Amino acid sequence: MTRPHIRILATGGTIAGEADPACNGARYRAGVRPVTALLAAVPGLGEIASLDAQQILAIDSKDMTPDGWLHILSAARQALADPSVDGLVILHGTDTLEESAYFLHLTLPTGKPVVLTGAMRPADHPEADGPANLLAAVRLAASPDATDKGVLVVMNGTPYGARHVRKARTRGLDAFESDQSWTAAVPDGRFARLTPSTLPRVDILPGYAGAPAMLINASVADGARGLVLALTGHGSVPTDWEPALQRAREQGVALLRASRCAGPVIRNGNADDDGAGWLTANDLPPPKARVALMLALAAGWDASTLQHQLPGF
Ligand code: SIN
């Protein structure tokens, strides 16, 4: 039987991290080790699948940007359009992995397996988790079970769907979690035909006790076309924010109520969303609501399409 062919796209992260000589190894630098060395550290990988690899970025994922997403998207679309490629593995830092995974979930064509993985310990750690994660990702991408599930993430032996996965802890190999089993994951790809050269700027503004309304004015003045409000509780808008939000709305800025808690923000539930012209995120957490809003604005969706579609993301 012929082995499936898997392409690996490496973007950096702790999985490619090494101790930083500048501080006597007390800290490490992400995105240092090349993908060829990462592959060489996993014996048996070639028995699961034939492989080719591309180093498309070499960054700490705290420095990922929307342009970086578009760069990954272009390489990933090219890979999936190649008839010789059966599945795709993307190596990524864990800090913003869920955002990149969700962006790709919405923008890649569905069908072939796409699996992101990373590591919590650098590559030169005596008990590095990267090699086992890479092995698990290739195994999953080579499996028919991963077909038509949309973008998946595998960490510490557990697969997750991109829509529900999140990095929940700063430490520990079990840093990722999801409130839904990956077996229930469904493909999306609703922006698979969108080919933007840039993405509109959308900022996330946090709600907290005493959060000043000038955050809204500053974002809008600096060019934001959308604001995701990561609010307290059920997406509660501080009263002091209302005039600034109204001005932003009048300038055509899309405003989306989300919550810093888990759980849904229900439209018109505790605010007059229809009257104020606010969008609602349902249960999308703020970083993923931002991804969805950026893509919807890039696609030119109008306000009513946005609100009609967003709760279904
Ligand atoms: C990063 O996100 O690139 C650094 C942290 C990590 O990968 O765990």
Side-chain angles (χ1 to χ4, degrees):
M1 211 176 96
T2 56
R3 290 166 304 161
H5 186 76
I6 304 298
R7 178 160 300 164
I8 317 261
L9 301 178
T11 70
T14 294
I15 192 167
E18 290 181 0
D20 186 350
C23 55
N24 276 338
R27 285 189 292 273
Y28 71 90
R29 278 192 300 139
V32 174
R33 202 168 272 196
V35 65
T36 44
L38 302 182
L39 295 179
V42 190
L45 211 50
E47 287 159 31
I48 300 167
S50 61
L51 302 168
D52 71 80
Q54 296 174 5
Q55 185 78 49
I56 58 168
L57 292 171
I59 60 168
D60 186 315
S61 81
K62 69 181 169 57
D63 297 322
M64 184 58 70
T65 61
D67 283 348
W69 294 339
L70 292 173
H71 185 63
I72 302 173
L73 177 63
S74 161
R77 280 182 174 163
Q78 214 177 339
L80 296 176
D82 183 337
S84 74
V85 172
D86 298 302
L88 189 59
V89 167
I90 301 175
L91 308 183
H92 197 290
T94 63
D95 282 1
T96 60
L97 189 146
E98 71 213 56
E99 287 165 68
S100 295
Y102 188 56
F103 175 77
L104 295 170
H105 185 61
L106 297 179
T107 51
L108 285 178
T110 59
K112 294 181 186 178
V114 179
V115 182
L116 276 75
T117 195
M120 292 300 290
R121 294 176 181 154
D124 57 358
H125 188 285
E127 292 174 71
D129 54 330
N133 287 344
L134 175 52
L135 185 66
V138 170
R139 202 170 263 144
L140 187 60
S143 159
D145 294 346
T147 302
D148 275 327
K149 289 263 175 264
V151 171
L152 298 173
V153 170
V154 69
M155 287 294 291
N156 198 31
T158 306
Y160 304 94
R163 166 66 176 78
H164 291 274
V165 69
R166 68 185 192 106
K167 185 173 181 179
R169 282 170 283 283
T170 57
R171 295 164 64 91
L173 300 185
D174 61 345
F176 281 71
E177 66 179 30
S178 172
D179 55 9
Q180 188 189 77
S181 163
W182 77 282
T183 53
V186 288
D188 196 302
R190 72 186 78 198
F191 296 109
R193 289 210 173 81
L194 189 69
T195 54
S197 53
T198 58
L199 290 166
R201 172 160 156 200
V202 173
D203 290 347
I204 300 176
L205 300 186
Y208 52 89
M214 57 73 63
L215 295 175
I216 298 158
N217 303 334
S219 263
V220 173
D222 204 43
R225 287 190 44 211
L227 299 178
V228 171
L229 311 176
L231 298 165
T232 54
H234 187 178
S236 306
V237 176
T239 308
D240 276 358
W241 281 21
E242 288 178 11
L245 289 176
Q246 191 178 334
R247 281 194 300 277
R249 191 72 209 101
E250 284 162 7
Q251 290 175 55
V253 176
L255 303 172
L256 192 152
R257 273 200 314 130
S259 175
R260 65 186 203 183
C261 306
V265 172
I266 296 165
R267 185 155 189 78
N268 297 315
N270 70 337
D272 179 13
D273 293 303
D274 288 346
W278 296 333
L279 305 164
T280 39
N282 194 16
D283 66 348
L284 266 182
K288 290 184 185 173
R290 171 176 177 254
V291 169
L293 184 54
M294 288 168 95
L295 286 166
L297 291 175
W301 290 8
D302 61 22
S304 82
T305 311
L306 279 170
Q307 191 48 57
H308 187 67
Q309 297 276 344
L310 271 176
F313 269 58

